[in-house]
């Protein structure tokens, strides 16, 4: 443990062309030190706790340090959100608030899929390991034309595509499928149009990378990365749009979020369709504003 602490204190200490940095540690600042303290406190008791308990204790402690998820019995959604906070490198209450707002903007079906994926342990339940996902989230947050909500929505689309194409079945006995998102992360940081980003999966492809898979953005996506005016929806995108709306309506009716009794239509606050339409409108307004 002392060796790990010493190593992390020395990160980014060279100072580049300016020479060695002698005034403390560049990396081990106040926020990173709190993360390290949380880790070391749990590792001290690793012989008394299961790996599952150790891992989720760390994740929940990180979320609680940001003032979120204070209850002892966390739900599946709360566990997933706590892990997402760690993946998004949330260090302040503002970071936490932004991520929770992006999560709330997702449809319930999208939240459920992401929650199941982030909570699965890869031992009993099959799951994915997304390399470069923290970079995807960081780039999405910095790029005004993308945003965290759009990155999470696109992650749902990626998971659905992998499931529909049977990559887990092809992986035979492997419980974990590694997906390399490095190309996707670079695209998120560079794209200049919201509509180009929304349609990027249509021109992307999955490539085998050892036992894992890489999401390659292809030449067609990179050729449009600097397009400022976006593009109109293709027939495939329009069809996917319509199917999504129908799924939202079905979910709302089955869960009682839309009520048509007594000849009156009532749409409740957490309606999937309402949230989806609001998000779609916000993306269109942002696209128009940034283009101007």
């Amino acid at each position: 443990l002392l060796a790990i602490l010493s190593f992390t204190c020395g990160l980014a200490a060279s100072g580049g062309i300016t020479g060695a940095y002698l005034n403390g540690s560049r990396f081990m600042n106040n926020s990173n030190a709190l993360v390290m303290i949380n880790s070391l406190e749990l590792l001290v008791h690793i012989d008394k706790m299961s790996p599952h308990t150790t891992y989720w204790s760390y994740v929940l402690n990180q979320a609680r340090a940001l003032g979120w998820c204070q209850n002892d019995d966390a739900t599946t959604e709360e566990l997933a959100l706590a892990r997402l906070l760690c993946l998004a490198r949330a260090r302040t209450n503002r970071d936490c608030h932004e991520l929770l707002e992006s999560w709330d903007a997702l449809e319930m079906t999208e939240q459920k899929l992401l929650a199941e994926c982030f909570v699965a342990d890869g031992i009993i339940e099959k799951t994915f390991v997304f390399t470069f996902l923290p970079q995807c989230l960081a780039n999405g947050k910095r790029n005004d034309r993308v945003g965290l909500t759009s990155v999470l929505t696109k992650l749902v689309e990626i998971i659905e595509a992998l499931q529909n194409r049977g990559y887990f079945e092809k992986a035979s006995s492997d419980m974990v499928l590694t997906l390399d998102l490095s190309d996707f992360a670079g695209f998120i940081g560079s794209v200049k149009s919201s509509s180009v980003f929304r349609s990027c999966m249509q021109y992307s492809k999955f490539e085998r990378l050892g036992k894992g898979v890489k999401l390659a953005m292809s030449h067609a996506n990179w050729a449009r990365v600097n397009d400022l005016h976006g593009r109109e929806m293709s027939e495939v995108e329009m069809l996917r749009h319509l199917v999504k709306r129908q799924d939202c309506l079905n979910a709302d009716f089955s869960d009682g979020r839309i009520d048509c009794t007594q000849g009156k239509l009532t749409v409740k606050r957490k309606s999937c369709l309402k949230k989806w339409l609001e998000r779609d409108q916000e993306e269109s307004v942002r696209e128009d504003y940034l283009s101007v």
Side-chain angles (χ1 to χ4, degrees):
L1 294 180
L2 180 61
I4 295 173
L5 177 61
S6 302
F7 174 78
T8 52
C9 286
L11 291 176
S14 65
I17 61 174
T18 61
Y21 187 76
L22 303 177
N23 298 317
S25 171
R26 284 181 183 271
F27 175 78
M28 196 57 72
N29 53 29
N30 185 59
S31 60
N32 288 335
L34 292 175
V35 175
M36 180 57 66
I37 290 170
N38 177 25
S39 304
L40 293 176
E41 285 178 344
L42 289 168
L43 289 175
V44 166
H45 304 289
I46 196 169
D47 58 330
K48 301 175 183 176
M49 297 189 298
S50 68
H52 184 275
T53 302
T54 303
Y55 175 77
W56 285 112
S57 295
Y58 166 79
V59 170
L60 287 172
N61 284 349
Q62 290 297 105
R64 287 163 182 158
L66 296 171
W68 188 79
C69 192
Q70 301 297 330
N71 53 308
D72 294 330
D73 299 322
T75 64
T76 299
E77 182 178 333
E78 288 172 337
L79 288 173
L81 266 171
R83 186 181 176 197
L84 195 54
L85 286 169
C86 294
L87 290 170
R89 301 166 181 163
R91 293 290 183 270
T92 65
N93 290 335
R94 181 179 178 181
D95 293 337
C96 180
H97 179 70
E98 289 178 354
L99 185 62
L100 294 178
E101 274 194 338
S102 296
W103 178 269
D104 287 339
L106 299 176
E107 303 162 20
M108 294 186 69
T109 52
E110 293 173 330
Q111 293 175 352
K112 182 180 179 181
L113 180 62
L114 288 177
E116 291 173 350
C117 182
F118 285 136
V119 171
D121 58 13
I123 299 173
I124 300 174
E125 302 168 294
K126 288 188 175 184
T127 191
F128 300 94
V129 171
F130 301 105
T131 60
F132 293 92
L133 179 55
Q135 194 61 51
C136 291
L137 296 170
N139 289 352
K141 184 177 178 180
R142 282 194 293 265
N143 191 339
D144 292 335
R145 293 166 176 81
V146 179
L148 278 174
T149 302
S150 293
V151 174
L152 294 175
T153 303
K154 198 57 63 179
L155 184 59
V156 170
E157 193 175 332
I158 292 169
I159 294 171
E160 289 175 340
L162 287 170
Q163 292 175 339
N164 293 337
R165 298 179 192 184
Y167 275 95
F168 265 138
E169 287 71 14
K170 297 174 185 177
S172 64
S173 60
D174 292 338
M175 296 298 290
V176 175
L177 180 66
T178 301
L179 177 63
D180 185 339
L181 295 175
S182 56
D183 206 24
F184 184 51
F187 185 78
I188 293 172
S190 303
V191 68
K192 301 294 191 299
S193 167
S194 300
S195 61
V196 169
F197 177 72
R198 286 198 302 270
S199 63
C200 69
M201 280 301 293
Q202 184 178 348
Y203 304 97
S204 302
K205 59 182 179 179
F206 294 111
E207 298 177 347
R208 276 291 178 184
L209 191 65
K211 289 187 176 181
V213 181
K214 179 177 181 177
L215 178 63
M217 299 311 292
S218 80
H219 174 73
N221 272 321
W222 287 110
R224 300 182 302 134
V225 73
N226 292 316
D227 187 352
L228 297 176
H229 303 292
R231 53 183 294 278
E232 294 183 0
M233 279 189 179
S234 67
E235 292 181 358
V236 174
E237 290 175 285
M238 290 179 66
L239 181 59
R240 185 182 293 118
H241 227 56
L242 290 172
V243 171
K244 202 74 173 177
R245 290 195 181 194
Q246 186 61 49
D247 289 343
C248 289
L249 271 174
N250 292 339
D252 284 340
F253 277 115
S254 62
D255 294 340
R257 290 186 293 270
I258 291 183
D259 184 17
C260 293
T261 57
Q262 300 178 352
K264 181 180 179 182
L265 179 65
T266 304
V267 181
K268 298 183 180 178
R269 184 176 64 86
K270 290 187 177 293
S271 162
C272 289
L273 181 62
K274 186 175 181 180
K275 290 168 68 174
W276 189 84
L277 291 173
E278 288 174 350
R279 187 175 72 199
D280 198 43
Q281 184 179 23
E282 287 173 3
E283 289 178 348
S284 298
V285 170
R286 183 173 64 223
E287 175 88 358
D288 293 341
Y289 173 77
L290 292 172
S291 297
V292 173

